[in-house]
Amino acid sequence: MTVKYLAASVALCVSLSACAAPNKESADTSTLSVPALQQGNPAFWLELDAQSNLSVSDGDVFARAVQVVDVAQVNNGFLVAAIEGVESTPVLYRLNAKGKQAERLASLQAPEFLVEGLCLASEADGSVSLFMLDERGSAEQWVVYSEQQTLKPAKLRTLPIAPNATACAADGKGGLFIAEEEMGLWRYSSNAEKPVSRQVVDLVAPYGNLGEGSEAVAYLGGNVISVTVDSGLVQMYQPGEDNTWARVELGTWKGVEEPEQLQAWYQAESETLHLQVRDDASGDYARNRFTVAAAEFDFSRALESEVKTVKPRIQTEPVARFGDAADDPAIWVHPTSPEQSLIYGTDKKYGLGVYRLDGSQSQMLPTGRLNNVDIRYGFDFGDGVDDIAVATQRDDNSLSIYRVDAENGAATHLAELPTGLEEIYGFCMYQDGAKTYAIANGKSGTFEQYLLSANAGKVTARLARTFAVETQPEGCVADDATGRLFVGEEAVGVYTLSAKPDSDEPLSLIAATDDVLVADVEGMALYPAVDSRYLIVSSQGDDSYVVFESSAPYKRVGKFRVGANYGAGVDAISETDGLEVTHRSLGKGYERGAFIAQDGHNIMPERPQNFKLVSWSDIAQELELND
């Protein structure tokens, strides 16, 4: 949309009396009618009377002493959120599609602040979030509804926002718009898995076009709508390029001193935009309408994504410290009792954690700033055969060596072996018969491959070869069965070459970053199958994972995300660094193996980062993969 085009399509209303739509508030301003919108048109109305009792038009009261209210369309009905009573309790109701029946779903814990504004935000996964604004500079976000599963409302996070925030509205596409009194209008992300950031939509004068500010904001059909507090200027915004917003003035709303609680709906047949506000100065409600071309509103539902969604079944305990700490997991499979298998995970601020399959921690080894970890079975330590784990140690650019008891998976730290790398980073292991290799890389792009050997329990490493990519790498994985090595260059893509150190085969790019494999390329793992081995790669830029066949021509076979399992109280995975997969059974629910990944934003509630486990059966079913 260009401003010039939109302005040409708008017939401006210059006074409320000239443009007011007929409604009962003209005669009785003690009743507020809130539209329950369906594709931009009211499906029915909610009425809030002089005693603040909420009811469906011509129906029974279902909520009393209501302070603020919002409505969102959900599957086969509408979700209503309200703040009720002297204790300011957030309460949720579900209304059927015709608004004739109201069902009380849940009460939430009352926040420890006066709720200044409230709004519901529909998310891409079919869930709905409730935002409650604290004018002191924060907002609570709760997940309150899901189309896929029954859930108990849960607090996702406390979102730092601008102080003196008075109103909010969501676009259903990840955008949350918040009006900051006397400052401006901002766009935040409504996705709790995203980092906190904000983008300016408009500012007060002299920096923008909001005059003295706005306390009234609504979102409708691709448009953000606001009304200024000083002049009643009505403006509409649509996103442009480079985080800019195209703006058009619809007109001035006369006779309203302090507009707030903006509601908007659109009648396509008459090309009429209807607005309703509460005048905080008088307590009365008023309506206005503007002629706007139907082409300026988009009520179409988003196309179904080609990215499938699976849900985690369990999560590990969080690491000890907040910040970018957890990084890369590995899976140790018990030789006789798969349900006793263990998860190894690095903590870049502390050491190596070991977790049971219920997520509880069984060991924490304080061995320093470990980045990536991998495991191999049947390593000859010279005084017996056990399993071996190796991690990259960022404190001194070494390989951190661990002996893993082959019977119970318990880890013992043995040594730190020096490397020639600066800023050591990613890591994987490769076994070629009786030979075990450690392959590490540094942020400069250099890879070093070491042959590991041991005598009387003491492990040593001999450099077998070096190679390099041009920019920063991290993830890599070796296919022991085929002798292939896959390495990632974060901003470029995935390469393959022979894992054998005496090979002179050059690097070959098999998957470049694009709009499917979105940089950064981070963790990667291999899953054996009957007809192919699958290569799973973290597409960190869009919080997903791309699955390729691991033999030429390296066909891309699918893409998935790990969404929230609200019923189990496990949030989604986002900003994954490291991941691992096994085809071996981990017991009931994981008979065909499991996928595990680091979660960069651990919420519900907010805690330090951790690792989350997904049944491979769920991934295979969604992507129609062979066993």
Side-chain angles (χ1 to χ4, degrees), residues 293-305:
E296 305 305 335
F297 290 90
D298 179 12
F299 296 103
S300 62
R301 296 185 179 275
L303 296 176
E304 183 179 355
S305 173

Side-chain angles (χ1 to χ4, degrees), residues 15 141 157 199 284 293 300 350 369 375 414 431 465 497 571 606:
S15 70
Q141 180 178 359
R157 61 173 173 168
Q199 169 193 348
D284 293 339
S300 62
Y350 193 78
R369 298 189 303 133
I375 291 176
L414 295 184
Q431 257 182 350
R465 72 164 168 177
L497 71 163
D571 65 298
E606 294 172 283

Side-chain angles (χ1 to χ4, degrees), residues 227-250:
V227 184
T228 61
V229 294
D230 52 346
S231 63
L233 179 62
V234 181
Q235 301 180 95
M236 193 161 72
Y237 304 84
Q238 283 189 343
E241 297 180 356
D242 300 324
N243 294 328
T244 60
W245 292 80
R247 179 187 68 91
V248 63
E249 297 179 4
L250 299 185

Side-chain angles (χ1 to χ4, degrees), residues 137-195:
S138 67
E140 284 191 5
Q141 180 178 359
W142 290 65
V143 59
V144 295
Y145 176 86
S146 175
E147 292 182 356
Q148 281 78 32
Q149 56 189 301
T150 301
L151 63 84
K152 181 180 179 181
K155 183 179 175 181
L156 293 178
R157 61 173 173 168
T158 297
L159 173 67
I161 61 173
N164 300 314
T166 57
C168 61
D171 61 10
K173 301 175 182 178
L176 175 70
F177 300 91
I178 296 180
E180 180 188 4
E181 186 178 358
E182 300 179 353
M183 183 57 68
L185 181 61
W186 306 90
R187 182 192 185 278
Y188 292 79
S189 174
S190 65
N191 186 341
E193 295 288 342
K194 297 295 184 182

Side-chain angles (χ1 to χ4, degrees), residues 32 34 47-55 62-70 80-91 93 110-119 130-133 166-167 260-263 278 280 283 285:
L32 166 63
V34 180
E47 293 185 356
L48 191 63
D49 65 21
Q51 289 74 44
S52 297
N53 297 321
L54 190 64
S55 63
F62 64 87
R64 299 182 183 277
V66 170
Q67 301 164 31
V68 243
V69 63
D70 195 20
V80 179
I83 303 296
E84 291 186 34
V86 294
E87 295 182 351
S88 298
T89 303
V91 183
Y93 298 90
E112 296 180 354
F113 56 84
L114 177 65
V115 178
E116 184 69 23
L118 170 152
C119 56
L130 170 65
F131 288 89
M132 295 179 285
L133 307 185
T166 57
E260 61 177 27
Q261 297 181 26
L262 178 63
Q263 302 282 342
R278 177 183 182 273
D280 193 43
Y285 297 92

